[in-house]
Amino acid sequence: MFVLFRLLGFLGTLSVLGMTHAAGSTIFPTGVTYSNWTEETEETRFCEIIVDISNPPSRELVKFITFGGYDRSDGTVLAGFLMAAIDVAAIEKSKIVPISNAAFNSATFNSPGQLSSETFDDGTIMATTDNAKLAAPFINAVLAGDYELRFSRDEPNSEMRTYKILTAPSGSVASNFILCMDGLTIGSKQVRSFTSGRRSLLPERLTAGSASRWRQPPAGAK
């Protein structure tokens, strides 16, 4: 079974105050921050791109995590995303808001009908695939930038809202992620060579041209 870290570990201390966005609106956020993380346990290894999105004075924050990972027991692989909406209720207080219909849309890849979704008890949504022909275009769309994140709050009469992300990640974050994915692919192949011999479900190499648009990982990132 895959073990993926939960969003609560990334919330930290938040102090953005204001109103939430109008339902059904298209939002062009002023705050879009990319970073990396590697989640590694005895059972699994994951490579992650984390996008923190804010648009002051709105008190709604969005966290979007793109990942690829494999199970150390048999080498099986998943790729996809984890999405959450967070309300800042007061200074240094925040809470995850349950959402539904989470989707990633771009000119080259749309998640509905291609990634399988799962909703967790805390209101976050994870969408995944074990198909390399779907994983590669999804990950490359994130690396390229210019995509939309869509969801609706799990509330009565809630309409779909869209966050339009126009910026791509910076060079070092892309490089960190690509190197992590290369190592992950090698690790998965090594595990599978001793088990069922399943083929790799991760792309052999992500689009190399995407690596010039990322930034340094945050302090404490692995």
Side-chain angles (χ1 to χ4, degrees):
M1 175 181 289
F2 284 90
V3 179
L4 188 64
F5 71 90
R6 304 316 301 275
L7 282 163
L8 285 173
F10 280 90
L11 295 183
T13 301
L14 302 172
S15 59
V16 181
L17 299 177
M19 301 298 294
T20 55
H21 295 288
S25 62
T26 297
I27 301 151
F28 294 83
T30 57
V32 178
T33 303
Y34 288 92
S35 60
N36 294 117
W37 191 266
T38 300
E39 180 76 1
E40 189 165 3
T41 69
E42 293 182 357
E43 294 82 19
T44 63
R45 183 183 181 188
F46 280 87
C47 305
E48 296 153 358
I49 300 170
I50 305 156
V51 189
D52 290 292
I53 303 159
S54 62
N55 193 44
S58 171
R59 61 184 175 89
E60 179 177 84
L61 311 178
V62 176
K63 187 172 287 287
F64 181 75
I65 300 172
T66 299
F67 65 85
Y70 76 97
D71 190 325
R72 292 182 185 275
S73 67
D74 59 10
T76 56
V77 173
L78 287 179
F81 68 78
L82 190 68
M83 189 187 299
I86 302 145
D87 270 354
V88 181
I91 294 177
E92 298 185 356
K93 292 184 179 179
S94 61
K95 64 177 181 178
I96 293 178
V97 180
I99 60 174
S100 58
N101 304 312
F104 173 94
N105 295 312
S106 73
T108 57
F109 184 87
N110 298 315
S111 67
Q114 301 195 81
L115 303 184
S116 300
S117 295
E118 178 181 0
T119 302
F120 294 111
D121 291 341
D122 61 7
T124 63
I125 292 180
M126 183 168 68
T128 61
T129 183
D130 61 1
N131 185 335
K133 292 182 179 179
L134 298 178
F138 164 64
I139 292 173
N140 281 321
V142 175
L143 293 174
D146 193 5
Y147 55 84
E148 294 178 349
L149 305 179
R150 306 186 70 199
F151 65 89
S152 56
R153 289 177 168 238
D154 195 11
E155 302 168 348
N157 303 316
S158 180
E159 298 181 17
M160 188 72 75
R161 68 220 303 129
T162 300
Y163 278 81
K164 180 69 174 178
I165 309 301
L166 298 174
T167 58
S170 61
S172 60
V173 175
S175 297
N176 291 338
F177 182 75
I178 291 170
L179 288 173
C180 182
M181 291 287 282
D182 286 345
L184 188 148
T185 299
I186 293 170
S188 174
K189 287 180 177 179
Q190 290 174 340
V191 170
R192 285 181 289 105
S193 70
F194 293 101
T195 55
S196 65
R198 296 175 181 175
R199 65 181 178 84
S200 176
L201 296 174
L202 285 178
E204 290 292 331
R205 183 77 179 176
L206 299 178
T207 302
S210 300
S212 64
R213 297 189 295 269
W214 295 69
R215 70 178 188 85
Q216 292 292 335
K222 300 180 181 180

